[in-house]
Amino acid sequence: MLRSHRVEDVRAAEAALAATLPDGELMRRASRGLADALGHVAAGEVVLMLIGPGNNGGDALYAAAHLLDRGVRVDLCLLDPGTVHADGLATALGAGARVVEEPTDQRHCLDAVFGIGARPGLTGRAADWAEWIARARPHTIAVDVPSGVDVDGATVPGAHVRADATITFGTYKNALLVAPASGAAGWNGTSIAELVDIGLGPFLPAASVEAIEPSDSWLLDDLFDWLRSPTSHKYARGVVGIAAGSEQYAGAAHLCVAGAQAGLAGMVRFVGSDELGRRIVDRAPEVVVGRGRVQAWVVGPGGGDDGAGQLSMALEDDVPVLVDASGLQHLPGSFDVPALLTPHAGELAQMLDTDRASVEAEPLAHASRAAERWGATVLLKGARTLVVTPGRPTRVNLTGSPWLGTAGSGDVLAGLAGSLMAAGADPHDAGSLAAFLHGAASVRANPGGPVTASAVAAALPGTVAAFHDGLLDDVRDWRH
C-alpha cells in the first residue's frame, strides 16, 4: 500500500532519524535524491529554483550544486534573502548558481518555496510566482509538496503552485494522495509522486491515509479464509441481500445485482416488487428472490420512495448493512450493526446540512465528520474516492478513469461492496477494496475511453481474478 503521514508525525520521525545521523546527513540525502530526480534535465539547460525559507529551500540549494556539477545551469529566485538557508545558498553560489530578481523565460522550474510546515495559501511574491507558473507553464517540480496546499487537510484554500510532478521525502503526505490538493501535485510518469527514501520508515507511526496498489493481492487471502480452503461452498462465501430498485429506477436493481454477483459472496438474494423480482431472475437466474438469511444487506440504490422501508427491513436482520442513494435520506441516529454509507458529494452535503461545494472543497474533513456522526464507515464517491472509518487510517482510491462518472456505476459499486461484506470483510476493507476493483474494472473495460456501468460489471470478475493472481496491470487514475 501507499501510505501518507501527517505533518507532526513526519516532523517527529525526521527528528528521531536525524538524532542517529551525522549533522547535515538528512539534508544531504534529500538533496541528492532531488538532484537524481532531475536527471531528465540536460546539461546546458536552465533550472529556475524558487527558494523559500528553511530546510525546504535548503534541500533545493544543495541539489543545485549537484546539478551544476553535471552542467545544468541554475537560476535562484529568493523569496526573502534574510531567511534563506545560509549554508545551502553559499554552496549553490560557490558551485556557480546565480541569483535573479524574477522568473523570465526559464523552461524548468523547481518549487522550493514552502514545505510541509507552512500555512496553506500563498500571498505576496510567492503568489506572484505561482501565477507565473500558471501563465508561463514551465515544467515545474515541487519539492516535498506543492507550495500553498493544505498538507494534512488536502485542500487548496488559496493561491498555490500547480506542479507537473512532485518529489517527496521519506513518506507521502495527505495532500499528494487526497483531492483536491492531489490535483496540484502532478504526475511524473511512474507514480503519484516520486518518493525519495531517506530512511524515515522505522520512525514513522501508523499512516494517516492509505491507498491499495495492484500488488496488494494479499488482501484477498488475508480477508477471506475460504479462498484458501480446498472445499468451499456458497454459504461459506456468504449470502448478500439486495433491496434496491423501484418502478421508477428498475435499472438500479439490475446493476446492483450485477455488482454483487461479480464479488465474492456465494449467493445473492433480491427483495423487491414481484414484477422487479421476475425481471431480475430473467436476467440473472442465479439470484434467489425473497427474504431469507443473509450475511449483509445492500439498501437504497434506485430505491425511490421506498428507501425508508428497505432500510428498516434490513436493520431488522442485525447484520452488516450498506446504505446508498435513497436509503441515505432515512438514516437512524446511530447504527447497532457495522454500516457502510456510500454517498456522493451532493448526498453527503444533504446528510450534513451543508452545500455540495463545501464538501468538494474539503472532502476529507466532511467524510470524517459524517463517519464520526453516525459511527459508521463512509465511502465518499468522487475522482479520489475516500473510505473513512473512525480510528482507522483513511483509504483513498487511485484507480479508475474520468469515464467512470456515468449513470449506474454507483449501483454496481454498492453491490460489489455489499458482496465483499457478506463474504467476511468489514465495511472499511469492503469499501476500499470495492472502490479499487471497481475503478480497475472501468480501465480494463475500455482503457482511455467511455464505459457503461454494465460494462464495468462485466469486467469485474476478470479484474478480481487478475488482482488475486498478482497480474493486474497498472490501473491508476491520473486525473488532476
Side-chain angles (χ1 to χ4, degrees), residues 275-304:
E275 174 59 23
L276 193 50
R278 284 191 291 270
R279 292 168 64 180
I280 288 290
V281 174
D282 282 345
R283 289 196 179 189
E286 306 88 355
V287 175
V288 175
V289 173
R291 291 290 299 272
R293 183 169 177 77
V294 300
Q295 278 66 57
W297 275 104
V298 177
V299 174

Side-chain angles (χ1 to χ4, degrees), residues 313-449:
M313 175 205 66
L315 292 176
E316 292 174 2
D317 281 358
D318 199 31
V319 297
V321 61
L322 181 151
V323 188
D324 186 46
S326 63
L328 295 169
Q329 302 171 25
H330 307 285
L331 297 176
S334 61
F335 286 90
D336 296 324
V337 296
L340 174 59
L341 315 181
T342 58
H344 55 57
E347 290 165 337
L348 185 59
Q350 187 175 15
M351 290 163 58
L352 295 174
D353 193 25
T354 185
D355 58 89
R356 183 177 190 133
S358 296
V359 173
E360 291 176 338
E362 299 182 83
L364 180 57
H366 284 87
S368 299
R369 177 183 161 198
E372 292 287 350
R373 161 66 182 81
W374 277 280
T377 296
V378 173
L379 184 156
L380 176 57
K381 292 177 281 195
R384 290 282 170 87
T385 291
L386 296 175
V387 180
V388 181
T389 302
R392 296 184 65 172
T394 292
R395 284 192 180 155
V396 59
N397 183 54
L398 305 180
T399 63
S401 81
W403 302 103
L404 189 53
T406 187
S409 66
D411 304 324
V412 175
L413 175 63
L416 175 62
S419 178
L420 295 174
M421 288 168 63
D426 64 34
H428 190 76
D429 288 323
S432 50
L433 265 174
F436 172 85
L437 293 167
H438 183 254
S442 76
V443 175
R444 288 164 61 87
N446 189 17

Side-chain angles (χ1 to χ4, degrees), residues 133-359:
I133 290 171
R135 182 182 69 253
R137 295 309 304 152
H139 186 268
T140 300
I141 295 177
V143 179
D144 219 9
V145 293
S147 295
V149 302
D150 174 5
V151 180
D152 285 344
T155 66
V156 283
H160 62 280
V161 169
R162 187 178 179 92
D164 295 293
T166 298
I167 311 300
T168 198
F169 307 118
T171 181
Y172 292 97
K173 285 75 185 178
N174 292 359
L176 303 180
L177 300 183
V178 177
S182 60
W187 173 50
N188 66 4
T190 58
S191 63
I192 288 290
E194 184 161 339
L195 180 63
V196 175
D197 183 6
I198 57 173
L200 215 58
F203 302 93
L204 289 167
S208 171
V209 174
E210 301 174 332
I212 296 173
E213 289 273 80
S215 59
D216 290 327
S217 58
W218 55 269
L219 274 169
L220 290 179
D221 285 331
D222 276 13
L223 292 173
F224 307 107
D225 290 340
W226 54 264
L227 278 171
R228 299 190 294 272
S229 172
T231 58
S232 183
H233 53 81
K234 62 186 176 185
Y235 296 115
R237 293 172 53 185
V239 180
V240 58
I242 304 293
S246 59
E247 297 308 313
Q248 308 103 296
Y249 306 108
H254 292 286
L255 292 168
C256 189
V257 166
Q261 288 189 297
L264 275 70
M267 192 171 94
V268 177
R269 285 189 179 275
F270 177 79
V271 175
S273 69
D274 291 343
E275 174 59 23
L276 193 50
R278 284 191 291 270
R279 292 168 64 180
I280 288 290
V281 174
D282 282 345
R283 289 196 179 189
E286 306 88 355
V287 175
V288 175
V289 173
R291 291 290 299 272
R293 183 169 177 77
V294 300
Q295 278 66 57
W297 275 104
V298 177
V299 174
D305 297 333
D306 197 29
Q310 291 176 341
L311 180 56
S312 177
M313 175 205 66
L315 292 176
E316 292 174 2
D317 281 358
D318 199 31
V319 297
V321 61
L322 181 151
V323 188
D324 186 46
S326 63
L328 295 169
Q329 302 171 25
H330 307 285
L331 297 176
S334 61
F335 286 90
D336 296 324
V337 296
L340 174 59
L341 315 181
T342 58
H344 55 57
E347 290 165 337
L348 185 59
Q350 187 175 15
M351 290 163 58
L352 295 174
D353 193 25
T354 185
D355 58 89
R356 183 177 190 133
S358 296
V359 173

